Amino acid sequence: MTAETIDHSTLSRLVEAGSVDAVHVVGKTGGWSVVIRYGKAERPLAAQRSRQVRVFKRMDTLVSYLKDVGISRFDVDAADYAPGIASRPDRAAALRRTHKAAEYDKWFRKQVEEAIREADDPNAVWISAQEAEERMDKLRAELFAQLESGDKAS
């Protein structure tokens, strides 16, 4: 069961209203989480997209974040902190997919630009759809004949 969390926007509004009673930084394997106490409630800070408890890998990043929000005093519980890499295989896989998609997009755009350049060339030779079909039919027949005779296409 996931604890109820608060997001960055809510935290900012609580700080502006002067409603934050305490901030507790908690060490865990691979990083640090933040628990905000306001009124009778105590909630961990959530990551913006996943809505899961946000884990800061580096303490200096966490301190900068809190200071930017307007929090300069907090306590730290490092009892369960263990340096390591917080597991984010979902992000690693997403990054690989993004890079792969970007490479494909780059290749595809280059192919389209080349095709447009060739089509705009005044020396381009255009053929009718019927002629293209006839050429493909002839090529297909030649390939089938090679396959039936056992010859390899060169």
Side-chain angles (χ1 to χ4, degrees):
M1 183 173 156
T2 305
E4 192 174 332
T5 59
I6 66 169
D7 60 11
H8 171 77
S9 175
T10 303
L11 176 58
S12 294
R13 287 194 306 270
L14 287 169
V15 170
E16 285 176 23
S19 300
V20 174
D21 298 322
V23 177
H24 189 62
V25 173
V26 182
K28 42 182 73 202
T29 300
W32 306 90
S33 64
V34 180
V35 178
I36 310 298
R37 189 172 61 210
Y38 56 100
K40 292 183 179 181
E42 194 170 87
R43 305 271 189 268
L45 179 66
Q48 218 157 341
R49 288 193 179 98
S50 71
R51 309 301 299 157
Q52 300 297 313
V53 174
R54 182 170 179 183
V55 177
F56 292 83
K57 292 180 186 176
R58 297 170 32 130
M59 179 61 85
D60 58 335
T61 304
L62 170 57
V63 171
S64 292
Y65 171 79
L66 290 174
K67 286 179 79 174
D68 286 347
V69 174
I71 298 170
S72 58
R73 292 185 176 268
F74 51 88
D75 63 84
V76 178
D77 178 355
D80 293 329
Y81 175 73
I85 298 172
S87 179
R88 298 269 329 254
D90 58 320
R91 292 304 313 140
L95 231 94
R96 281 192 295 276
R97 286 191 303 272
T98 300
H99 286 295
K100 190 173 181 180
E103 284 299 313
Y104 176 79
D105 186 60
K106 183 178 174 182
W107 170 84
F108 183 77
R109 288 177 185 276
K110 187 175 179 182
Q111 296 298 309
V112 170
E113 288 172 6
E114 179 63 26
I116 290 171
R117 201 170 21 258
E118 288 176 6
D120 287 343
D121 185 340
N123 297 320
V125 177
W126 296 92
I127 61 172
S128 68
Q130 182 179 353
E131 186 179 345
E133 287 177 21
E134 290 170 359
R135 287 182 183 183
M136 284 305 299
D137 288 343
K138 181 180 175 188
L139 180 60
R140 190 177 301 112
E142 290 172 0
L143 289 172
F144 280 133
Q146 286 178 351
L147 284 173
E148 288 177 3
S149 70
D151 290 344
K152 291 186 178 180
S154 51

